[in-house]
Amino acid sequence: MDCTNIWKIDEKKIEKRENELHESIFTIGNGFLGIRGNFIEGYSEDFPHKRGTFINGFYEVFGIKYGEWAYGYPEEKEIMINNVDSNNIELTVDDEKIKVGKTKILEHKRTLNMREGYLERETTYETSKGKRFRLRVLKIVSFIKKNLCIYKISIKMLHGSAEINLKTGLQLKNNDFEKTNDPRVENGNSAEILLLEKQKVADKSLTQLYKTKNSDLSIVVKEKVECSGLEFENGNHVATFFLNEGQEKSVEKKTGYYFFPLEEKTDLVKYSEESFEKTAELNFEEIKKMQRNYLKNFWENSSIKIEGDPETSQGLNFNLFNLLQYVGKNGKTNISAKGLSGEGYSGHYFWDTEIYMFPFFLYTNPKIARELLKFRYNILPQARKRARELAFTKGALFPWRTISGRESSAYYPAGTAQFHINADICHALKKYVESTEDYDFLREYGAEMLFEAARIWEEMSSKDPLRNDKYCINCVTGPDEYTALINNNYYTNLMAKEHLKYAAYTSRWLENNYKDDYIKIIKKIKLSKTEVDEWQKISENIYLPEVGENGITPQDDSFLHKEKWDLENTPKDKFPLLLHYHPLVIYRYQVCKQADVVLAQFLHGDKFSLKQKKRDFHYYNSITTHDSSLSKSIFSIVGNEVGEKKLSYEYFFENVRTDLDDKHSNSKWGIHTASMGGSWLCVVFGFAGMRTYEDELSFNPDIPDRWKSFSFMINYKNNILNIIINKETTTYELIKGDKIKFKHVNKKVMLDKEKRSLILKNE
Amino acid sequence: MDCTNIWKIDEKKIEKRENELHESIFTIGNGFLGIRGNFIEGYSEDFPHKRGTFINGFYEVFGIKYGEWAYGYPEEKEIMINNVDSNNIELTVDDEKIKVGKTKILEHKRTLNMREGYLERETTYETSKGKRFRLRVLKIVSFIKKNLCIYKISIKMLHGSAEINLKTGLQLKNNDFEKTNDPRVENGNSAEILLLEKQKVADKSLTQLYKTKNSDLSIVVKEKVECSGLEFENGNHVATFFLNEGQEKSVEKKTGYYFFPLEEKTDLVKYSEESFEKTAELNFEEIKKMQRNYLKNFWENSSIKIEGDPETSQGLNFNLFNLLQYVGKNGKTNISAKGLSGEGYSGHYFWDTEIYMFPFFLYTNPKIARELLKFRYNILPQARKRARELAFTKGALFPWRTISGRESSAYYPAGTAQFHINADICHALKKYVESTEDYDFLREYGAEMLFEAARIWEEMSSKDPLRNDKYCINCVTGPDEYTALINNNYYTNLMAKEHLKYAAYTSRWLENNYKDDYIKIIKKIKLSKTEVDEWQKISENIYLPEVGENGITPQDDSFLHKEKWDLENTPKDKFPLLLHYHPLVIYRYQVCKQADVVLAQFLHGDKFSLKQKKRDFHYYNSITTHDSSLSKSIFSIVGNEVGEKKLSYEYFFENVRTDLDDKHSNSKWGIHTASMGGSWLCVVFGFAGMRTYEDELSFNPDIPDRWKSFSFMINYKNNILNIIINKETTTYELIKGDKIKFKHVNKKVMLDKEKRSLILKNE
């Protein structure tokens, strides 16, 4: 992708081998709805494409077939449905069907305008009879009117005159994704899943009500098309008109998708009628203006401005724009590994949210961060049920992968065994409460999930008599999935330790400050003081694998005993290893898919000396394949911290353009949201060296050699701080708020009403 | 089951709740063919039954569906087919269909005669019109004519006269096994699998040729019925006759099953015609006589005679009889976990053969033992292929479960991860060569598989710098499947050590004694001397988990660090644990399904002090659930050795009647062959204390309190030794052979031509 304009993504040619990738990249969405960048006129059969329309939280439930069953395996899993497709017209010019891949294209340009939030394309076609016309399509999935997708379709005759026939409707045969063995991809089968319950055709508009077979979800899809001479034919809008050379005709098509996630009880049909009636009154220009205003506000708070690195700037803009496009903002949905841009990972939410994406929202759009945590609160009932299935007598175990709360991982060694998800979520909660001081959230939702999640560690940890009765956590899988079912994963144990500590602290804080809330919660979840004391005790006495003679922090009890994988002599086509070696081979070696110890050292860097981090960074860096798109960002951040400036920037640069440059050769299945979140982390936590250890904001700025300056804003304790980092100095500006304390390098500083800005040397 | 006669199993009533269990117990077979004890007249629909006819080595291949795929997972698995059913007649009396569960039964008796090898039953029915008749069926699956099953069916009118209609044929709808989640059970679906290719009806006989869809196996089934007034109707033999009160009519039905395992190229149809023609000439009495003679010889060599414990005697007779009934004797088949008595474990062969059953055959019927090893040699090509799939650059990895050599385990942590199977097979090979001195076998087959299997350890073991560069074996599962994917499983490491040692020794021995053979093999498998040296080096430097402060031999690196499962407070209905807890729960605790360290201490007891064995026995005994039917026999043997006489007998007694008393509540799916083999081990290696460490035969006799005496015979280095153990003394008699040296307690003794017997005190 070229980057002449950092706010735009341009495509200048439609090419077979890149089309599916570009469909992912040109997906537009709003956190509720996502529509892949399929060309609206459709494709010839042999032209590679993957149609896709996705609604966040809308899924079907499928039975899981196992080679061999075992107790407690999830019997069903959720898969995000490839939904009703509005992104299509049947365009006929003089009885000739126009299709990408069949009709001759003379010129083409497609642009994703990220600053204003719309997709625009112009394609000049020539028919077999030599007539030329230009097809222009503008498309918006509205951030303000979340149910709406609006299309403005114009056809202009450039050479010759022709009869144009335009048919538009709602299609259900989305699912033309090919089958694959790759466990990271999963296809639903929309045509068989969505059952049409009702269809109404009236007054230029079409309404369809669909239901799913198993998950019992309903969706109403409404379509309104404005165009003179419009007629209805079998549920499709059809217009036939004649255009002379130079004449142009435009059509506005509006589609409304209505669905309530997590079982809201409101009448969907009624609600959709009222809502769509109002929304459909707005025309394209009005929607476009609303979109622009919404994004203006977003970019003001969220953008990272860099002087001297347009490729990176474009990459960052694309990443942050996509995070906004795919994040659920209603407390009932979350953000999936591929957003709403493809069927990869079945549309599931993972720990990716809390560890890789949450910080971006927290420090730029804290309201969205709140909704992400609220989602976890809302799935507590299923998490409690899952804990019982795993023989925990109390507490809640969050699903490793899910849409509505049901554990949907069908390979437990790299799924359910990643118990660290409980601690990851509570880590995000702690950061949220500290940064926003939203104690209402903690009282109403946070504390309950914090306590319930902590109970899992209580029952999982056991005193090891061979280790002075330290508490150990056995048979888990850490973030690095190239080692599974091991004991005392460093990351897991440290995260659990901090989780338990925070849970015990919060319990006492609640008791002292909000006695009523405290009593309500402990009654509801039958929590005793002894239990809270136990949390404290475990937290203080949890075992952390000890640095041995070689000076390295062990990833787990056995990791450093194993043989190192011979990465140097592994052919390139054998990566990612998971697609080319049996788990029994991979697990036997010292080889990492992604950051594990190094991730712990990022999240809890204050618990390690710089020397230790340095040693561990080099060690683990040498045995990590980065087969996961979650890996390089963390190595970039910690690399920068330990003085590996060049490598740090390299990792960052590869990470920031993961999807634009298709670094993992699989973005056609959907973009990588966690990697996108990671790129923001790289700049803010990496180069700017921001940390919030012990609730204390600090910066340790550095700047990549290639950059002249960079700046970004941070929302912290209801202040907004603008940070501008140059080669020599850093400028801090208090944009909003009365007072903010933080550290620059190791110096305590403060900004307030009087002193709103400050320029400091970068050490 | 009552035990008035130790050579017979009697059933005196047909009962709903026991019928399926009894079907397993009354299965008759010959190692090639097995037919469950289904009542030939059939059942009413609601009467619990599982029809079953099984041919050893006859399987279908099914695709395996995984919840989530990973590289190297077997894509297909083999399942023993529930085969063409000859064990059925349609019996109509005065137009009333006679069925178990519907027709009134006045009297019933069924007897399995184990000494002579036939099944006999008599049932007196009363029709709804009050007519009474006796149905008598004698059934033999011939050991001599392995393709043949013969039925003698007699009907006698006891009260009233009636028109009898008798229809007999070959049925394909065997598969009425219910569906279950239990991973230890698996159902094929015979009706859909077996395709009838040809049917020929001629001259009182019926011939059918079937083929399988995927595994491309053919089977010819031939039926001949002798009965006056016989007619053919749609491929069935039909006879209608009138019987007055007191009159009796008999029918002889012969069925021949023809199948060549492991792709023999002979013409099956032609072969079956010639063979069946000859066989069918024999009448029931002739077949019965041949059977009696065959078994006379078997029991002479194999039986264990006990004075004072008829329950045990019956149990042992049943067990040894069943081992003979189910063991493949052609080098192309083996003995499955459920023999040919049910669909449990898909008819797969496991390590059970080598560790639990092989010793019985080796020391009583060494020719059969040879064929069992030959089977492993014959599947070397698939084992090599599997090794490549697991990224081994050379060598062969034997399948954890298989029929024709294909790895058919669909859950690798308790399947493929049990690499110890390679060493188990070679342990059996070593014992075979030592005991039989059959060096021809070693030269022609044994050495090659020994070397190929050893290579796996060479590539799997790695030097651990944190353990003085000792060789470690990581990420395996040992015999105890309640702990998976661990490092340095004691059993695995010790067995690998001995395997490598024997491989290196054999290589040198071959080079020195049979240079031509040596050269042929090393050329064929590209073996170098360096590699053999490497085996020796690894064997000498392999790491064995060290006894720690608590004095216990660790099952693996992490086992003793874990919390102990609270067995005392686990409700009885939660056993076996594997059916009631997620693997992630079970694996987290010190809890064993079966003997692991203790098994190592049985097989290689000379490597441990008695004190150590004692401590380990008590420790592991206290944390073992014996959820596996392979467990109690080993604990009985080692228990006896460490002085736990009472417990040892208890475990033995439960083990010896595993199936007769349905101790695991699952014998309806098939009997437990390994447990049966284990009961023989208990007597010979347990009570008689026989060992063959370092190729030296020794006895350390003891006798359970309840017994007056016991005796058995052992075939060792071409001698046959009879051992009679009384309360005070042991008598050794050299029955066959010129000279035998052995130890009694710790004393060296010898028998030879001059001195053929000896009475010694039991110390």
Side-chain angles (χ1 to χ4, degrees), chain A residues 65-67 69 71-73 181 183 390 410-412 462 464 475 487 558 561 563 579-583 585 587-588, chain B residues 65-67 69 71-73 181 183 390 410-412 462 464 474-475 487 558 561 563 579-583 585 587:
Chain A
K65 284 195 179 145
Y66 294 98
W69 174 89
Y71 182 89
Y73 278 12
N181 245 346
L390 270 285
Y411 177 62
Y412 76 83
S462 66
D464 183 351
C475 203
N487 304 324
S558 59
H561 289 275
E563 188 175 5
L579 295 186
H580 302 94
Y581 296 93
H582 193 287
V585 182
Y587 297 170
R588 200 159 65 219
Chain B
K65 284 195 177 145
Y66 294 97
W69 174 88
Y71 182 89
Y73 278 13
N181 248 343
L390 270 285
Y411 176 62
Y412 76 82
S462 66
D464 183 350
N474 294 320
C475 204
N487 305 325
S558 59
H561 289 275
E563 186 175 8
L579 293 186
H580 301 95
Y581 296 93
H582 193 287
V585 181
Y587 296 170

Side-chain angles (χ1 to χ4, degrees), chain A residues 138-245:
Chain A
L138 286 151
K139 190 161 69 169
I140 294 172
V141 171
S142 171
F143 282 108
I144 301 283
K145 301 290 180 188
K146 67 162 190 182
N147 305 91
L148 181 72
C149 176
I150 187 164
Y151 305 82
K152 187 171 180 177
I153 305 153
S154 312
I155 297 155
K156 183 177 184 176
M157 287 308 298
L158 302 179
H159 178 75
S161 57
E163 188 184 83
I164 313 286
N165 187 287
L166 209 149
K167 195 165 111 183
T168 171
L170 300 169
Q171 284 192 2
L172 206 48
K173 295 247 168 202
N174 269 344
N175 196 275
D176 40 19
F177 278 34
E178 81 246 36
K179 294 285 168 202
T180 161
N181 245 346
D182 189 333
R184 301 167 301 177
V185 181
E186 180 111 44
N187 342 19
N189 223 329
S190 59
E192 293 166 20
I193 298 161
L194 283 176
L195 304 175
L196 183 61
E197 289 257 312
K198 266 188 225 165
Q199 168 151 319
K200 211 175 90 185
V201 179
D203 190 24
K204 289 187 189 170
S205 80
L206 170 68
T207 300
Q208 291 180 334
L209 167 67
Y210 292 91
K211 290 206 165 173
T212 54
K213 275 188 185 175
N214 306 323
S215 57
D216 197 27
L217 301 181
S218 302
I219 186 162
V220 171
V221 190
K222 294 170 100 57
E223 184 187 69
K224 195 170 181 182
V225 181
E226 275 159 35
C227 173
S228 56
L230 196 71
E231 283 180 28
F232 275 105
E233 243 177 47
N234 304 323
N236 293 303
H237 296 90
V238 181
T240 308
F241 45 88
F242 194 87
L243 291 182
N244 286 318
E245 187 168 310

Side-chain angles (χ1 to χ4, degrees), chain B residues 559-560 562-565 588-592 619 623:
Chain B
F559 192 79
L560 297 180
K562 294 178 183 168
E563 186 175 8
K564 285 186 191 172
W565 186 286
R588 199 158 66 219
Y589 289 91
Q590 281 192 50
V591 62
C592 299
Y619 190 84
I623 54 171

Side-chain angles (χ1 to χ4, degrees), chain A residues 269-387:
Chain A
V269 175
K270 206 178 147 202
Y271 173 83
S272 68
E273 263 169 33
E274 290 166 8
S275 165
F276 193 65
E277 202 173 325
K278 268 190 245 168
T279 304
E281 281 172 10
L282 299 163
N283 66 24
F284 189 84
E285 286 310 316
E286 289 165 319
I287 295 290
K288 198 175 163 210
K289 197 178 159 193
M290 289 161 79
Q291 188 84 338
R292 186 165 54 229
N293 288 337
Y294 179 91
L295 283 167
K296 189 165 176 276
N297 182 50
F298 170 74
W299 287 121
E300 262 174 24
N301 293 325
S302 315
S303 77
I304 291 174
K305 297 176 192 71
I306 300 169
E307 269 191 289
D309 195 349
E311 279 170 294
T312 291
S313 292
Q314 188 193 40
L316 278 167
N317 288 340
F318 180 73
N319 293 350
L320 306 185
F321 180 68
N322 270 277
L323 288 174
L324 184 71
Q325 282 206 118
Y326 301 132
V327 67
K329 302 169 187 76
N330 54 9
K332 310 220 162 178
T333 54
N334 205 285
I335 178 164
S336 91
K338 302 277 178 185
L340 302 166
S341 72
E343 296 191 344
Y345 286 117
S346 308
H348 290 164
Y349 316 136
F350 293 79
W351 72 310
D352 305 31
T353 298
E354 280 77 10
I355 301 300
Y356 292 82
M357 298 182 262
F358 186 85
F360 164 66
F361 293 110
L362 173 58
Y363 297 115
T364 61
N365 298 274
K367 277 184 190 158
I368 293 178
R370 186 183 202 270
E371 297 307 313
L372 289 172
L373 289 172
K374 185 88 181 289
F375 167 80
R376 295 297 189 182
Y377 178 82
N378 280 326
I379 63 167
L380 259 184
Q382 291 99 309
R384 286 191 181 101
K385 190 167 157 269
R386 184 64 184 149

